[in-house]
Amino acid sequence: MARTITPPGRAGRPGRGELTPPKSADLGSLTDTGVGSWWDIALVRGIFAAVSVAACYHFRPFGLSSRTAAIVGLTFSVAVILFEIRLRRASLRRLIGAAIGSILGIMGAYLMNLVLEHTSIPEGSRSFLGVAVLLVMTYIGLIVGAIKGDMLNLQALGGLFGSERNTRRTYKVLDTSVIIDGRVADICEAYFLDGVLLIPQFVLRELQLVADSADPLKRQRGRRGLEVLQRIQKMGHLEVEIAEDDFPHIPDVDMKLIELAKRYDAKVVTNDYNLNKVATLQGIEVLNVNQLANALKPVVLPGESMRVFILREGKEYNQGVAYLDDGTMVVVDGARRMINKTIDIGVTSVHQTTAGKMIFGRYDERGEQQVRQPAASTADVNGPRPGVSAEVPRSEPAGRGSEPQQGGERPPRPIFPGRE
């Protein structure tokens, strides 16, 4: 069984199929509502109840007194109204299926009564059997037809039934890891998850054990998971249910989640790689938060340029490591000396792994020097200025730590190789 959680501040809130009472700002609109409003329905129900009471009071069925007959009529009308309220929530598929099933049941009962008339059963017993068969066949046809009515494809008929929506409830089971991760709350807030979010009772127990752990890190993760659940509960567009189902013969929580998903025909929401693989092998649909995050990352193609901040040294020689805003790792060759600096790199390749995406790039130091010394590049293009010798080397002026050029010493390193 599953019970619905009532989030704080939503106590007494009407269900999805019920009418909500108007607010104070909408009281003025009650006078100009059209036919079919709440007041019209209440008026029709009152008239039906009054007619039922009056009819029973006047005719006094089964030899009842007038007062008792009126009470029976009132009880009958209340039962019919409650049945009508419940029936309004059913989909058109189920209504058509229930009608077809009940008609078939009545026809089957009629044929069986024809057979009973040609038997030697006494009249009283035969009448009782006929009524019993009629009730049983009608009940079975009504229930089976309503259940199997979801299989009807009304859109194939078009026209009148083309706009009928599928009201079948879809369940999604939340894993412990995805609750602690917290990103599922943002996904729910962005309306990317619908249906019923199913939270197993054994997952709640696991969260409570983690929140009560002596390890500060585990305790913080457990409390974060409980806060995420409270945040999801407060979202009005979602329905959250606690599944009391448990599987004592299965010790592993992941296998319990799989069995629960099979029982409810639900999808598993997780970011656990192993649970993802096991559930997929058993034919269960999985919504992996990590796969969603990787799909939403910006696409980077080899040859493009990007600007990154080198955070630390890489594993290989002369490598630097940077991270994008979404957490994607960027490995840059030739950027070891540019740690704690923002540089422009060229993307060489993109590698997709199960854990995420990795971008490999290369840092061109010569390109940076070209940007830093635009005047020198302009001089090379336009030629030497009048009165300035073209043999003057491009070196920093004296007094800034550079030594003057001496005869017989090696010449300063040119900025552009091959232009000596």
Side-chain angles (χ1 to χ4, degrees):
M1 295 294 293
R3 57 184 177 87
T4 305
I5 298 177
T6 303
R10 294 177 59 190
R13 181 172 180 176
R16 299 175 183 268
E18 300 179 3
L19 295 174
T20 57
K23 299 181 181 179
S24 58
D26 301 328
L27 291 177
S29 61
L30 291 176
T31 56
D32 55 352
T33 54
V35 178
S37 64
W38 188 87
W39 294 107
D40 296 332
I41 296 175
L43 180 61
V44 172
R45 290 173 180 170
I47 294 175
F48 172 75
V51 171
S52 300
V53 172
C56 290
Y57 180 83
H58 177 73
F59 293 104
R60 290 182 293 177
F62 307 108
L64 300 175
S65 62
S66 300
R67 182 176 180 181
T68 306
I71 296 176
V72 171
L74 179 62
T75 305
F76 173 77
S77 63
V78 171
V80 172
I81 292 174
L82 292 178
F83 179 74
E84 175 262 333
I85 292 175
R86 182 63 182 174
L87 200 63
R88 289 176 57 193
R89 303 180 183 180
S91 63
L92 185 59
R93 288 186 177 91
R94 292 203 170 188
L95 292 177
I96 295 177
I100 295 175
S102 59
I103 292 174
L104 293 177
I106 293 173
M107 293 177 61
Y110 175 74
L111 296 176
M112 295 182 68
N113 284 330
L114 291 179
V115 175
L116 290 175
E117 289 181 357
H118 295 82
T119 62
S120 60
I121 301 176
E123 182 69 23
S125 300
R126 189 167 62 243
S127 300
F128 173 77
L129 289 177
V131 174
V133 169
L134 177 62
L135 293 177
V136 171
M137 295 295 292
T138 305
Y139 172 76
I140 293 178
L142 181 68
I143 298 301
V144 176
I147 295 176
K148 299 298 182 181
D150 290 332
M151 302 175 60
L152 296 175
N153 185 14
L154 300 182
Q155 294 182 354
L157 301 177
L160 180 61
F161 305 115
S163 61
E164 171 67 12
R165 296 182 180 180
N166 186 11
T167 58
R168 181 173 176 268
R169 303 180 78 189
T170 57
Y171 292 93
K172 296 176 180 61
V173 182
L174 296 186
D175 181 24
T176 309
S177 60
V178 80
I179 295 175
I180 295 177
D181 181 81
R183 290 179 292 177
V184 66
D186 299 329
I187 297 175
C188 295
E189 203 169 34
Y191 291 81
F192 279 98
L193 282 180
D194 57 353
V196 182
L197 297 185
L198 203 61
I199 304 174
Q201 187 68 40
F202 52 83
V203 170
L204 288 180
R205 287 198 299 266
E206 187 178 14
L207 281 175
Q208 186 177 1
L209 290 176
V210 175
D212 295 337
S213 175
D215 188 357
L217 181 59
K218 290 184 178 180
R219 185 166 61 250
Q220 182 179 1
R221 295 180 62 192
R223 292 178 179 176
R224 171 181 171 83
L226 295 177
E227 292 175 357
V228 169
L229 287 181
Q230 291 180 355
R231 179 182 171 188
I232 295 176
Q233 284 180 325
K234 296 178 181 179
M235 298 180 185
H237 65 282
L238 287 177
E239 185 177 355
V240 182
E241 290 186 3
I242 303 295
E244 302 291 347
D245 307 66
D246 200 355
F247 307 91
H249 60 284
I250 302 178
D252 189 18
V253 176
D254 291 348
M255 298 306 299
K256 288 184 178 182
L257 285 170
I258 293 176
E259 293 297 327
L260 184 66
K262 289 181 180 178
R263 177 173 296 183
Y264 283 87
D265 193 18
K267 301 178 182 179
V268 178
V269 183
T270 181
N271 59 0
D272 190 343
Y273 177 79
N274 296 327
L275 178 60
N276 189 356
K277 291 298 182 182
V278 174
T280 304
L281 290 175
Q282 298 198 22
I284 299 175
E285 297 185 26
V286 179
L287 303 177
N288 197 315
V289 177
N290 288 336
Q291 292 180 355
L292 177 62
N294 293 333
L296 295 178
K297 289 181 179 179
V299 179
V300 181
L301 300 177
E304 295 183 357
S305 61
M306 57 190 310
R307 193 170 185 85
V308 296
F309 177 79
I310 305 300
L311 184 62
R312 60 181 177 85
E313 180 182 352
K315 294 183 178 180
E316 302 296 333
Y317 173 74
N318 202 19
Q319 277 187 350
V321 176
Y323 293 93
L324 300 182
D325 295 337
D326 56 6
T328 304
M329 177 183 291
V330 182
V331 181
V332 184
D333 292 332
R336 182 178 181 181
R337 295 181 298 176
M338 306 303 293
I339 296 177
N340 295 330
K341 294 183 180 179
T342 302
I343 60 175
D344 293 323
I345 65 170
V347 178
T348 57
S349 62
V350 180
H351 184 56
Q352 181 70 44
T353 63
T354 56
K357 185 184 298 182
M358 291 183 62
I359 300 176
F360 293 89
R362 182 179 298 277
Y363 169 64
D364 190 0
E365 186 177 358
R366 292 178 300 177
E368 289 288 335
Q369 291 180 354
Q370 289 179 359
V371 173
R372 294 178 181 177
Q373 298 185 2
S377 301
T378 306
D380 290 341
V381 175
N382 298 333
R385 291 178 296 176
V388 179
S389 175
E391 302 296 331
V392 178
R394 299 184 185 92
S395 59
E396 295 182 359
R400 294 188 180 181
S402 60
E403 297 181 358
Q405 184 176 356
Q406 303 290 337
E409 298 288 340
R410 62 178 182 177
R413 178 182 175 184
I415 295 179
F416 303 100
R419 293 190 181 183
E420 295 181 356

